[in-house]
Amino acid sequence: SASYKAYARTINSYWEKIDSDYLKKVNPFKAEFMPQKSAANTAFYPLSGADFVNLHAFYPDAVSNIMVGLEPPGKITDPNTLSPEQLKAGLNSIQSMVGEMASQNYFTRKRMKREFANPHFSGTSPVLLIFMTRLGLNIDSWQRVELDKTGKLISETETHIANKNPDKIEAVRIYYHKQNEKYSRDLVFFKMYINENSADTNTPEGKFFASQGNFNLLLKSAEYVLQLPIYEKFIETILRKTDTVVQDDSAIPYSAFNKAQWNSNVFGVYTARARLQNTPNVPDQVDLQNEFNLNAKMLPFKYGYGVLKGNNKSNFMILARKN
């Protein structure tokens, strides 16, 4: 149809922009600055939305990937069952989300709430699958799952009674493989509110996190919530089993990284936090300001809320655990 051809042209142009403005700049940057050890660790992205692009860009060798957001995992409707009007509406929502990533390299909460409510291609799953396919990955399967009380992922078909529980932690699990690989990797996206107890082993999610191997952590456009004092215990527990962290100033406070245990490398510009509506009133990080003033290197791509301040205003950190 004409509407689908128009959608395809637009999506292609958006992906070309993501590739040229971001991915082709990240790869040489990583080769120069990213530590190579522990590259196959579980890649963990709290407060992610549907942003698999950044997770895979920095941790492409991860065998397992975990993403956590407040958005619903959603569903995939067979396009052949939709009317032309329904298909157009569904594709318009996907186009809107990919376009936002192309323009600023993060998703806004307002747009996610609006577009992920589309009844035909709902939630994060459609956008995740499109990003994964565009990144050259082959999708093996997609499954709705949830966490049981022991912290294990079980399929919804096994839990028709548990489905009545409004507090269940629902998720999707996507198995995929790279070209010429004979084994599957996986991505799990959880709809979950991270709180101060989310890493405790008396919670289902805490049991799940504890069952994983070591992490490589990515955080971006994290709304400064992790800088509230109530998250200190969660951060401390997660960092104990983390080898590498990639983030901007909106994520884990710089003071949480003991210089005796962590090497840090900073890039771009940080003078003060971004003043955003509906975010906690945490202070600017004076220690981080000093680090940027003394040691910041050039950042060749946009990252996080720096894009709101203009070109070449993003900030970026690589923190690696010392041997």
Side-chain angles (χ1 to χ4, degrees):
S1 64
S3 63
Y4 182 80
K5 290 177 181 177
Y7 159 82
R9 286 193 298 269
T10 303
I11 286 288
N12 283 337
S13 68
Y14 287 159
W15 186 255
E16 288 170 3
K17 184 172 176 59
I18 291 170
D19 189 43
S20 62
D21 291 0
Y22 186 58
L23 296 175
K24 287 181 177 174
K25 295 178 180 179
V26 166
N27 288 333
F29 176 86
K30 277 174 44 191
E32 184 173 359
F33 296 111
M34 280 287 287
Q36 297 302 307
K37 68 171 187 175
S38 309
N41 280 10
T42 296
F44 182 23
Y45 189 174
L47 312 174
S48 65
D51 177 22
F52 185 74
V53 172
N54 283 275
L55 188 63
H56 187 73
F58 285 99
Y59 302 125
D61 296 321
V63 177
S64 294
N65 303 266
I66 301 169
M67 299 173 66
V68 177
L70 297 177
E71 299 75 33
K75 66 177 183 178
I76 310 294
T77 303
D78 181 352
N80 295 305
T81 67
L82 300 177
S83 70
E85 293 76 18
Q86 290 172 329
L87 180 60
K88 183 177 180 179
L91 295 178
N92 281 346
S93 290
I94 293 173
Q95 178 177 303
S96 175
M97 296 305 302
V98 177
E100 186 167 58
M101 178 60 69
S103 67
Q104 60 191 28
N105 194 26
Y106 73 90
F107 295 124
T108 58
R109 187 191 311 175
K110 180 179 180 181
R111 191 180 296 257
M112 285 193 291
K113 183 176 181 180
R114 181 180 73 233
E115 304 300 357
F116 288 158
N118 184 291
H120 312 300
F121 303 126
S122 65
T124 60
S125 288
V127 177
L128 288 173
L129 290 170
I130 285 174
F131 283 156
M132 295 173 79
T133 303
R134 289 281 177 156
L135 286 162
L137 306 175
N138 297 284
I139 307 300
D140 297 322
S141 66
W142 174 93
Q143 181 187 29
R144 291 187 64 99
V145 293
E146 63 185 65
L147 274 181
D148 69 8
K149 292 180 180 180
T150 69
K152 293 182 180 178
L153 286 172
I154 53 177
S155 68
E156 283 192 337
T157 56
E158 299 170 8
T159 56
H160 59 282
I161 296 176
N163 281 344
K164 297 178 181 178
N165 177 9
D167 298 322
K168 71 177 181 179
I169 297 175
E170 55 183 324
V172 292
R173 178 164 50 192
I174 303 169
Y175 285 104
Y176 67 94
H177 66 276
K178 295 184 178 183
Q179 297 291 342
N180 302 319
E181 278 186 347
K182 295 182 179 179
Y183 64 93
S184 276
R185 303 168 186 259
D186 75 314
L187 163 66
V188 179
F189 174 89
F190 290 102
K191 179 188 178 184
M192 181 171 68
Y193 175 76
I194 291 178
N195 60 56
E196 64 270 29
N197 299 314
S198 289
D200 289 356
T201 53
N202 60 351
T203 65
E205 63 269 33
K207 292 173 183 174
F208 175 82
F209 294 143
S211 71
Q212 306 300 301
N214 279 11
F215 294 130
N216 287 329
L217 198 62
L218 185 137
L219 290 144
K220 181 177 66 62
S221 310
E223 300 191 347
Y224 300 96
V225 294
L226 295 179
Q227 294 173 25
L228 293 170
I230 60 170
Y231 286 102
E232 288 179 3
K233 182 172 64 171
F234 171 79
I235 290 169
E236 181 182 347
T237 304
I238 294 299
L239 287 185
R240 261 190 237 123
K241 55 187 300 180
T242 296
D243 291 321
T244 304
V245 181
V246 166
Q247 65 170 26
D248 64 3
D249 73 292
S250 73
I252 297 172
Y254 187 64
S255 59
F257 297 94
N258 186 324
K259 288 186 178 294
Q261 299 175 339
W262 295 87
N263 291 316
S264 64
N265 227 341
V266 297
F267 305 85
V269 178
Y270 173 71
T271 55
R273 56 157 293 185
R275 306 296 169 183
L276 304 170
Q277 287 186 337
N278 303 316
T279 59
N281 188 28
V282 298
D284 297 330
Q285 301 181 68
V286 176
D287 54 348
L288 188 58
Q289 291 171 340
N290 293 335
E291 184 67 23
F292 270 82
N293 288 337
L294 291 172
N295 297 312
K297 303 177 182 66
M298 187 189 76
L299 183 67
F301 49 83
K302 54 192 174 186
Y303 192 87
Y305 295 132
V307 67
L308 299 176
K309 300 181 180 182
N311 291 332
N312 303 315
K313 298 294 185 181
S314 295
N315 66 79
F316 183 85
M317 292 169 254
I318 299 174
L319 301 122
R321 184 175 295 281
K322 295 181 179 180
N323 292 331

